[in-house]
Amino acid sequence: MFLSGYSGYAITAVQLLVTASSYGQESNPETCAAYSKMAKQKKSSKAKMIPSRIGMLYIYMPALLLCTVCLMGNMIPNNVLRMSPAAILAWIHFAKRILEVLFLHKYSGSVEKSLSRGIGVYYMLVSFLVCCVAEENPSLNASIVVGYVLFGIGIAGNFYHHYLLASLRRQSSKERQQQLQRRYVAPRGGLFNYVAAPHYLFELICWLGIAIVSQHGNAFLVFTSMSSYLSGRSVS
């Protein structure tokens, strides 16, 4: 089931376009979004820069706030967002990301404010779409159980590999300086020995779980667009 009507067709078309184009853009070091490990050292003098931690909050906080409004449901008059199991999972995902930004990850450098805001708006729109289309009371059948299990695996695996990444930042200043002289080097441990970016892999498993629980085609297109986006970033 997909969104119907002209507006629904337009939204679906945009999702398909994002899915088709994100991999090529993000796999190219010259065109990928310059944040996290992709952040460029040289920025345009006209670009307003902010600390990376603040930039990451700009990226995840709008989606978390929107999911919070969704979970409040009827407590807010004329709330068009519907509380659903998928909305709860999306809230858990973004709440976890905010907590990691505040308490787990170690940041250095800066990021363009406009870029962080743009990505934040995108994640918020994605969350809005999921909250609007997700099944409010899906029957607890085998597929829903699979969705919950996949989300649980994804959230746990994503956190574990983020922990491994954060551990690298606790090295001595000498070791850190030696690493800065190289290009990005993937850490060891967990699935890093087998997959280029296992934290991205587990995040995609999270989104697949959300899509399955949503029981809606446009939620699956959210998963495919995220797959294209994060696969491209793992290559670059």
Side-chain angles (χ1 to χ4, degrees):
M1 180 174 61
F2 290 89
L3 291 170
S4 58
Y6 291 118
S7 60
Y9 299 150
I11 292 172
T12 301
V14 170
Q15 288 186 276
L16 291 171
L17 178 62
V18 171
T19 298
S21 62
S22 292
Y23 179 85
Q25 177 176 326
E26 292 301 316
S27 61
N28 185 343
E30 298 301 320
T31 59
C32 67
Y35 72 96
S36 187
K37 68 183 178 70
M38 311 300 183
K40 297 179 176 63
Q41 296 300 315
K42 295 183 179 180
K43 298 290 184 182
S44 169
S45 59
K46 297 181 180 179
K48 183 174 182 179
M49 309 300 292
I50 56 177
S52 293
R53 190 185 304 276
I54 301 300
M56 299 305 290
L57 291 175
Y58 275 36
I59 288 175
Y60 296 117
M61 187 61 75
L64 177 63
L65 294 177
L66 185 136
C67 290
T68 301
V69 172
C70 181
L71 297 188
M72 295 177 71
N74 295 331
M75 296 174 60
I76 300 177
N78 302 318
N79 188 0
V80 298
L81 299 176
R82 303 180 299 179
M83 181 176 178
S84 65
I88 295 173
L89 298 185
W91 186 91
I92 293 172
H93 169 69
F94 287 111
K96 166 188 160 294
R97 297 298 285 121
I98 290 292
L99 291 174
E100 287 176 340
V101 168
L102 292 175
F103 303 111
L104 178 63
H105 294 305
K106 308 298 180 184
Y107 293 98
S108 60
S110 57
V111 64
E112 290 184 19
K113 185 176 183 180
S114 59
L115 174 65
S116 295
R117 282 182 169 178
I119 298 173
V121 169
Y122 173 74
Y123 278 145
M124 183 180 67
L125 291 175
V126 164
S127 301
F128 180 79
L129 179 61
V130 170
C131 289
C132 287
V133 305
E135 181 68 36
E136 292 184 70
N137 297 295
S139 301
L140 190 60
N141 53 36
S143 66
I144 298 299
V145 172
V146 168
Y148 286 136
V149 170
L150 287 175
F151 179 82
I153 293 173
I155 207 83
N158 181 256
F159 172 78
Y160 174 66
H161 289 90
H162 278 166
Y163 172 79
L164 293 180
L165 287 171
S167 298
L168 291 178
R169 307 290 292 188
R170 301 191 183 100
Q171 296 172 340
S172 68
S173 58
K174 181 178 180 180
E175 291 173 320
R176 194 176 303 172
Q177 186 63 34
Q178 290 175 347
Q179 284 196 349
L180 288 174
Q181 295 174 358
R182 311 172 195 165
R183 210 174 165 201
Y184 178 74
V185 178
R188 301 183 68 85
L191 294 185
F192 278 111
N193 295 334
Y194 310 99
V195 182
H199 51 306
Y200 289 164
L201 172 64
F202 282 105
E203 183 171 349
L204 291 178
I205 293 175
C206 280
W207 283 109
L208 179 58
I210 292 173
I212 293 174
V213 174
S214 297
Q215 300 283 283
H216 199 280
N218 288 91
F220 278 95
L221 287 181
V222 169
F223 165 69
T224 61
S225 62
M226 289 291 185
S227 296
S228 178
Y229 175 70
L230 294 178
S231 296
R233 289 184 71 77
S234 68
V235 170
S236 63

